[in-house]
Amino acid sequence: MLEFQKQILTDIVEEDGLLITSPGLGLFDILCRFIRLYTAGNHLVLLLNTSTEQDDLLQEQLIAQGVSTQHLIRRIEYSTPAEKRSSMYRESGVFSITSRILAVDMLLERIPTALINGIIVYNAHRVKANSMEELILRIYRDHNEEGFIKAFSDHPELFVTGFAPLQTRLKSMFLRKVHLWPRFQMTVSENLSQTNNDVIELRQPLSESLEIIQQSLVQCMEDTLSELRRSNPTIDVGEIKIENSFFKSFDTIVRRQLDPIWHQVSSASKQLVGDLKILRQLLGYLTTYDCVSFYSFIETVIAANTPQEGRQMRQSEWLYLEAGNRAIETARKRVYVKKTDPEFDQLRENPPDTELPTHIKLVLEEQPKWALLKNILKEIERDILDLNHGEGAPILIMVTERRTCSQLKKYISSPEDSHQPFLTRLAYNFFKWRGNIHKIQTNAVNVTPPPASAASMRGRAPPNKRRRVRGGSTTAVASGPGRTSTLAETFRDDDENDTFKAIGPLPDEYEIKYGQDDILPSFREIPNNSLITIQCYEDDSNEQTLQDVQPRVIIMFDPNPAFVRQIEVYRASHPTIQVRVYFMLYENSVEEQNYLTLIRKEKESFEKLIHEKSVMAITLTEKRKERQLEVIQPNSRIAGGQLKIVTTGPPTVIVDMREFRSSLPPILYAEGVKILPFTLQVGDYILSPDMCVERKSVVDMIQSFASGRLFTQCESMSAHYKIPILLIEFDENKSFSLQSVSVMKENIRVTDISSKLVLLTLAFPKLRIIWSSSPHETAKIFLDLKVNKKTEEEPDSKKATSMGADGEDGETIYNMTPQDILRSMPGVTSSNYKHIMNQVQDLDELMHLSQKRINDMIGEGHGRKLYQFIHKKGH
């Protein structure tokens, strides 16, 4: 480890805190070494917010550092039964566990919280207020004040948004200390500046066509942003800039400002927000996709904006701008030209054995970086042979897209004088798709449509009027329901179809013949010095890639600030290895602008964090509210019937396990409510033996009405509880309104949401409907309902879980995800799904059962529906 990494590890070990570093300074390696401290001995340490890939990478690094297999990280997943989880906790060790499982185990006291030595929170930038991680840390601190909490993150830009963001995050993680390690920190700069600076920066100019497309798309973005600002004068203009619109975070910035007034935003403004996302994607794909794939994506956008028969839609305005038309035409000319184009006569004829249209000629312009890469490889081959005694050296090429990996492999291995075969193949697939569309169009024209009624023609243009449609009628047919071929075929490689031409047993007389590229019974290892490795950027595994490949030459085909620092750390850690770096960048491009903006934003983020750290108030650990449920009872023995207040302890709410995806359970726990998580068949929240609540967000309610699931849920609640409640909860960042004024009509139809709610109350007279503006308001409503209930009875978990479960214990040992899939299948009802689960091991076994076996389990009618659904062929 380098000196600054040792100092970071020392700081995080000595005191609880949040560690924020610049990307690429080896945070993952620091995490691995910190975990190694607790792999041996009798420790119970929990690791949160890591993916399966990160856990596997941690295991590999721990093994490489000499940790025995008995002390490696143990992963707890959804398929791990509750009893096994409880026994694993008592065996101690380091556990990687998902937040929802750990929260449930803590609430049900399956894990000895008081005996936990510490909790490690990776990707700490994901921890937000009222999240599952906050609930876990709150329970942990309520029962254990001695254990440690360590948080790690290398995304400083995500800690500077909002009011006092750093202080708010520290409060959510129950921390008081923050460790900031930017790239410009003195120790870091000294350690990384001692390495050799053998870096060759190659600034590749854009081709003329690429420059035209880029300028046109940027012009479209500027016009779209101007129109968005003009239509919505209330938004903060400071953040709505063209340089910010090149990043994915810009979509979040715009939505965050428009969400509170989203119901008042016009459909034109909503279309502009979607257009900005499409234009940003096009700018990114311009330098990463090949010419055929890029133009195919443009045609997909055009097809999506083509009005269909019988449906009106608002089209993207940038398609009708002069700059938009120029970008589309130039993108087409990178692939092929028509007879009407002046460049047609200057190109050679197409090969005679192709089925391409005669009025076009292929161009298939290559990306400018491709030829530059071949020249670099020639230079490397010449120089390395001289420097390394003719033995060669490993070469590492780093790219952003996996598509680029495949294309570069094909490009490097193809001869120089040939037309790139993979581009030609993509072009053939593209025109094949266009030919299928033309056939569909011809068939559609030959079929005479039935005369339309006056009602169906209302709102449409007259038949003798022509509406301007971008892309012509071909794309209009492409977006219709009769399309037999999709644009995805354009991206498909023909080699994929030849992998397995037949699946099944081979005849006995079939002789296996080995080809040149087949795997033989014996093989020889290719020396590392003759390998060219093409790898995608992956934040945590880049360091391991450098250690495994140990390249002498690194080619950064796409710029990445984090990987630049990882190379600096690698050089500083291996001073004896001479590493040459080629840094490729498109000159005066959006790619260059994005790279420089990322570096500037990171520097500004750390400056804001340093300032906030110097002025923020020290966060004190917030104690959970100790709430006692007071029940008022009349007592005739006290002064002729005065009221008596009886304290019954903290209020209890039984919560369905699936509700832990929402932020309401953490809020309820913070308000002093005792939460009991169980798998409920009826309702989401049980407040008392008679009161059941089904919580629905607005989106979920609309989907439940469409599928009929809400009717079934209300029917079950009315059958098992005296007071069934439907709680409709809104997002606190959005308007507290079910329908915007713009979508309200003079005549209310049966299909409207308001009509469906009225019909629901008529069908279930006992049903109560409660409207809540936010999860915090829902928590207050629950407490008011429990206080006003005036009863000492708390909900019984055994009775609640047995409701609707045929009298069986509701705490199931089954895996919930396959159970949900099973219950969503046709023919499977709430009364027969348990029979299937008791007789079938898993879904795979169910898929291979005969119809007779299924009929024997659930009956002939339901069995036929289920068997037909399983064996129905996809279209």
Side-chain angles (χ1 to χ4, degrees):
M1 295 181 70
L2 299 177
E3 182 182 348
F4 77 89
Q5 293 176 330
K6 294 178 182 178
Q7 185 62 42
I8 292 175
L9 187 59
T10 303
D11 292 344
I12 200 67
V13 168
E14 290 179 350
E15 188 177 3
D16 287 2
L18 167 63
L19 172 63
I20 304 177
T21 68
S22 290
L25 293 186
L27 180 67
F28 195 76
D29 183 54
I30 294 172
L31 171 68
C32 183
R33 293 181 182 274
F34 179 78
I35 293 175
R36 183 188 174 188
L37 299 176
Y38 297 93
T39 53
N42 190 19
H43 299 289
L44 177 56
V45 178
L46 304 177
L47 177 61
L48 299 179
N49 273 354
T50 55
S51 63
T52 306
E53 293 77 13
Q54 290 171 339
D55 288 340
D56 294 339
L57 191 58
L58 281 172
Q59 303 281 46
E60 294 177 6
Q61 293 197 10
L62 288 174
I63 293 174
Q65 294 176 12
V67 178
S68 64
T69 55
Q70 299 177 354
H71 299 114
L72 293 177
I73 298 175
R74 305 170 70 183
R75 183 168 180 83
I76 296 179
E77 300 177 338
Y78 291 103
S79 58
T80 309
E83 295 181 0
K84 184 177 180 181
R85 294 202 302 266
S86 182
S87 63
M88 289 173 66
Y89 295 140
R90 285 169 172 78
E91 293 172 1
S92 73
V94 181
F95 295 91
S96 174
I97 183 171
T98 59
S99 300
R100 273 196 290 161
I101 293 178
L102 181 57
V104 170
D105 289 346
M106 281 184 160
L107 291 170
L108 294 177
E109 299 180 355
R110 290 174 181 153
I111 180 172
T113 307
L115 300 180
I116 298 176
N117 294 97
I119 296 179
I120 303 171
V121 183
Y122 193 57
N123 295 320
H125 51 274
R126 300 179 186 171
V127 180
K128 299 179 181 178
N130 305 322
S131 62
M132 279 296 112
E133 291 81 10
E134 183 182 8
L135 173 61
I136 291 169
L137 297 175
R138 186 183 297 277
I139 299 173
Y140 176 59
R141 274 293 172 248
D142 288 344
H143 298 84
N144 188 337
E145 296 183 357
E146 300 298 328
F148 66 79
I149 298 176
K150 316 288 185 182
F152 299 79
S153 177
D154 58 356
H155 290 76
E157 68 279 0
L158 299 179
F159 289 90
V160 295
T161 304
F163 176 74
L166 181 59
Q167 182 177 346
T168 304
R169 295 293 179 89
L170 290 175
K171 183 179 179 182
S172 297
M173 290 182 283
F174 298 86
L175 295 172
R176 303 177 60 183
K177 182 83 172 177
V178 59
H179 308 280
L180 301 176
W181 286 84
R183 170 63 177 84
F184 54 81
Q185 206 268 354
M186 185 177 298
T187 308
V188 179
S189 299
E190 290 177 356
N191 289 167
L192 300 184
S193 61
Q194 298 174 1
T195 61
N196 62 325
N197 297 319
D198 188 6
V199 179
I200 302 174
E201 183 175 343
L202 300 171
R203 305 174 67 87
Q204 172 66 40
L206 292 172
S207 65
E208 183 180 357
S209 57
L210 286 178
E211 194 167 355
I212 293 174
I213 296 173
Q214 177 180 273
Q215 293 176 356
S216 302
L217 291 177
V218 171
Q219 181 63 42
C220 290
M221 292 191 77
E222 290 178 346
D223 294 342
T224 305
L225 283 173
S226 300
E227 182 65 22
L228 183 64
R229 288 193 291 260
R230 186 191 64 80
S231 304
N232 302 275
T234 59
I235 63 177
D236 183 10
V237 181
E239 291 184 322
I240 311 298
K241 298 179 180 178
I242 185 66
E243 62 178 9
N244 292 334
S245 62
F246 298 149
F247 300 93
K248 292 182 180 179
S249 59
F250 182 74
D251 303 335
T252 307
I253 294 173
V254 175
R255 284 305 301 263
R256 185 175 64 244
Q257 294 197 27
L258 294 179
D259 268 346
I261 57 172
W262 192 253
H263 63 293
Q264 299 175 354
V265 176
S266 63
S267 58
S269 296
K270 294 178 181 178
Q271 180 68 43
L272 292 175
V273 174
D275 292 345
L276 287 173
K277 181 178 180 180
I278 294 296
L279 289 169
R280 175 178 55 77
Q281 289 178 331
L282 286 171
L283 277 173
Y285 295 159
L286 179 62
T287 54
T288 55
Y289 279 16
D290 59 87
C291 59
V292 180
S293 301
F294 179 76
Y295 184 61
S296 300
F297 185 80
I298 288 183
E299 289 231 340
T300 308
V301 175
I302 295 174
N305 281 273
T306 302
Q308 298 180 8
E309 188 70 20
R311 181 172 67 91
Q312 294 184 352
M313 62 177 296
R314 178 177 293 275
Q315 296 176 304
S316 299
E317 296 183 5
W318 70 271
L319 290 172
Y320 299 103
L321 297 176
E322 182 181 354
N325 183 71
R326 184 167 59 249
I328 295 172
E329 286 299 314
T330 309
R332 176 186 62 81
K333 290 181 179 180
R334 293 182 67 212
V335 182
Y336 68 92
V337 294
K338 302 178 182 178
K339 276 188 176 181
T340 55
D341 297 325
E343 302 89 351
F344 185 84
D345 296 333
Q346 302 174 8
L347 298 174
R348 62 181 181 182
E349 296 291 335
N350 295 325
D353 56 343
T354 62
E355 298 180 359
L356 297 177
T358 56
H359 63 281
I360 68 169
K361 288 183 179 180
L362 291 180
V363 178
L364 302 181
E365 178 183 310
E366 296 180 0
Q367 296 294 92
K369 276 188 180 180
W370 292 357
L372 178 61
L373 177 63
K374 266 198 172 180
N375 294 332
I376 292 174
L377 292 176
K378 289 180 182 178
E379 177 184 337
I380 293 171
E381 184 178 4
R382 183 175 59 254
D383 294 346
I384 290 298
L385 289 176
D386 296 337
L387 296 175
N388 204 25
H389 307 291
E391 296 181 2
I395 301 173
L396 177 62
I397 303 176
M398 298 299 295
V399 299
T400 303
E401 293 273 347
R402 293 194 179 277
R403 179 193 302 273
T404 310
C405 288
S406 174
Q407 291 179 349
L408 290 183
K409 175 187 173 183
K410 297 174 182 176
Y411 182 82
I412 293 173
S413 58
S414 62
E416 295 185 11
D417 55 347
S418 66
H419 221 314
Q420 291 305 321
F422 71 92
L423 285 181
T424 306
R425 186 161 52 247
L426 287 176
Y428 288 167
N429 289 339
F430 174 76
F431 286 107
K432 181 181 178 181
W433 170 76
R434 293 289 295 269
N436 292 337
I437 297 303
H438 179 71
K439 293 178 181 178
I440 298 173
Q441 177 190 10
T442 305
N443 296 334
V445 171
N446 294 335
V447 176
T448 304
S453 61
S456 63
M457 290 298 294
R458 189 179 294 118
R460 302 185 196 173
N464 58 341
K465 299 289 184 180
R466 292 189 62 188
R467 184 177 181 181
R468 183 186 177 195
V469 176
R470 159 69 68 185
S473 57
T474 302
T475 53
V477 179
S479 58
R483 193 165 86 186
T484 60
S485 181
T486 62
L487 275 172
E489 290 189 6
T490 307
F491 301 98
R492 189 176 63 193
D493 196 341
D494 286 344
D495 295 341
E496 298 175 359
N497 299 332
D498 298 334
T499 305
F500 296 105
K501 293 186 177 179
I503 299 178
L506 296 174
D508 296 336
E509 63 274 7
Y510 187 85
E511 181 182 358
I512 300 177
K513 298 180 180 180
Y514 291 111
Q516 182 180 359
D517 299 327
D518 291 339
I519 299 179
L520 302 177
S522 60
F523 58 92
R524 62 182 180 85
E525 183 180 0
I526 299 176
N528 191 30
N529 292 338
S530 60
L531 284 179
I532 298 178
T533 305
I534 306 177
Q535 187 75 23
C536 287
Y537 292 117
E538 295 179 4
D539 295 337
D540 296 317
S541 62
N542 288 338
E543 301 169 12
Q544 189 65 35
T545 301
L546 290 173
Q547 297 291 339
D548 294 341
V549 179
Q550 294 187 353
R552 296 287 301 274
V553 178
I554 300 175
I555 303 174
M556 295 183 63
F557 189 81
D558 298 318
N560 187 294
F563 191 72
V564 171
R565 301 199 183 98
Q566 288 171 337
I567 294 176
E568 291 179 327
V569 173
Y570 176 74
R571 279 175 161 177
S573 303
H574 303 79
T576 58
I577 300 178
Q578 297 294 324
V579 181
R580 178 186 296 181
V581 179
Y582 289 88
F583 185 83
M584 302 175 65
L585 190 70
Y586 281 117
E587 190 175 13
N588 298 325
S589 65
V590 173
E591 181 183 77
E592 180 183 16
Q593 178 68 25
N594 288 348
Y595 177 75
L596 297 176
T597 304
L598 283 173
I599 297 176
R600 178 179 57 81
K601 281 188 173 183
E602 181 192 322
K603 182 175 179 292
E604 293 175 353
S605 298
F606 269 111
E607 290 174 350
K608 292 179 182 179
L609 289 172
I610 293 171
H611 174 71
E612 185 179 353
K613 179 184 177 181
S614 64
V615 300
M616 73 177 183
I618 298 177
T619 306
L620 297 177
T621 304
E622 182 182 356
K623 294 291 185 181
R624 179 178 173 233
K625 297 179 181 179
E626 296 293 338
R627 189 182 297 273
Q628 300 292 327
L629 184 62
E630 297 179 347
V631 181
I632 302 176
Q633 291 182 337
N635 194 335
S636 59
R637 295 180 179 272
I638 302 178
Q642 291 184 1
L643 298 179
K644 177 185 177 183
I645 299 178
V646 180
T647 302
T648 62
T652 303
V653 175
I654 299 176
V655 183
D656 185 33
M657 301 273 277
R658 290 171 283 262
E659 279 297 302
F660 278 80
R661 299 184 181 98
S662 67
S663 60
L664 184 55
I667 296 174
L668 286 172
Y669 185 86
E671 291 292 331
V673 178
K674 182 180 179 181
I675 297 177
L676 298 178
F678 287 95
T679 302
L680 301 179
Q681 308 299 330
V682 179
D684 294 328
Y685 297 85
I686 309 300
L687 306 184
S688 72
D690 299 330
M691 190 180 302
C692 174
V693 178
E694 180 71 31
R695 189 190 69 89
K696 293 288 183 185
S697 64
V698 177
V699 176
D700 189 21
M701 180 185 65
I702 295 173
Q703 294 175 349
S704 299
F705 269 128
S707 64
R709 188 173 73 253
L710 183 57
F711 185 90
T712 305
Q713 291 170 337
C714 293
E715 184 180 28
S716 300
M717 286 195 300
S718 301
H720 294 92
Y721 291 92
K722 294 180 180 178
I723 308 176
I725 298 174
L726 173 63
L727 176 75
I728 303 174
E729 186 180 271
F730 288 76
D731 190 343
E732 59 185 344
N733 297 322
K734 296 184 179 180
S735 171
F736 187 30
S737 121
L738 183 61
Q739 289 178 315
S740 62
V741 180
S742 59
V743 301
M744 290 185 178
K745 305 178 180 63
E746 296 181 359
N747 300 324
I748 300 177
R749 297 176 297 180
V750 181
T751 56
D752 292 339
I753 295 297
S754 55
S755 300
K756 293 180 179 179
L757 285 172
V758 172
L759 294 174
L760 191 68
T761 55
L762 292 174
F764 304 103
K766 293 196 305 181
L767 182 67
R768 309 290 192 266
I769 298 180
I770 298 179
W771 303 82
S772 175
S773 59
S774 68
H776 289 277
E777 191 65 28
T778 302
K780 295 178 181 178
I781 292 172
F782 283 2
L783 289 172
D784 291 341
L785 288 173
K786 292 188 69 66
V787 170
N788 295 331
K789 183 61 182 164
K790 299 180 181 180
T791 177
E792 298 182 38
E793 294 186 52
E794 291 289 357
D796 186 359
S797 59
K798 291 185 178 180
K799 291 182 180 179
T801 53
S802 63
M803 292 291 186
D806 297 333
E808 298 183 20
D809 187 3
E811 186 179 355
T812 178
I813 61 173
Y814 300 110
N815 192 352
M816 289 306 303
T817 303
Q819 181 177 332
D820 292 340
I821 296 174
L822 174 66
R823 297 190 65 178
S824 64
M825 294 182 180
V828 180
T829 63
S830 58
S831 59
N832 64 17
Y833 80 98
K834 283 290 182 68
H835 299 293
I836 301 176
M837 293 170 59
N838 291 332
Q839 299 184 43
V840 178
Q841 181 70 22
D842 50 26
L843 290 175
D844 183 63
E845 182 180 347
L846 177 64
M847 298 298 147
H848 293 84
L849 291 182
S850 63
Q851 185 172 0
K852 183 179 183 303
R853 175 76 187 283
I854 296 177
N855 293 345
D856 294 340
M857 285 193 298
I858 59 176
E860 185 175 350
H862 293 306
R864 182 174 63 254
K865 292 181 181 179
L866 179 59
Y867 183 82
Q868 290 177 354
F869 172 76
I870 292 174
H871 296 277
K872 182 179 180 180
K873 295 182 179 180
H875 296 287

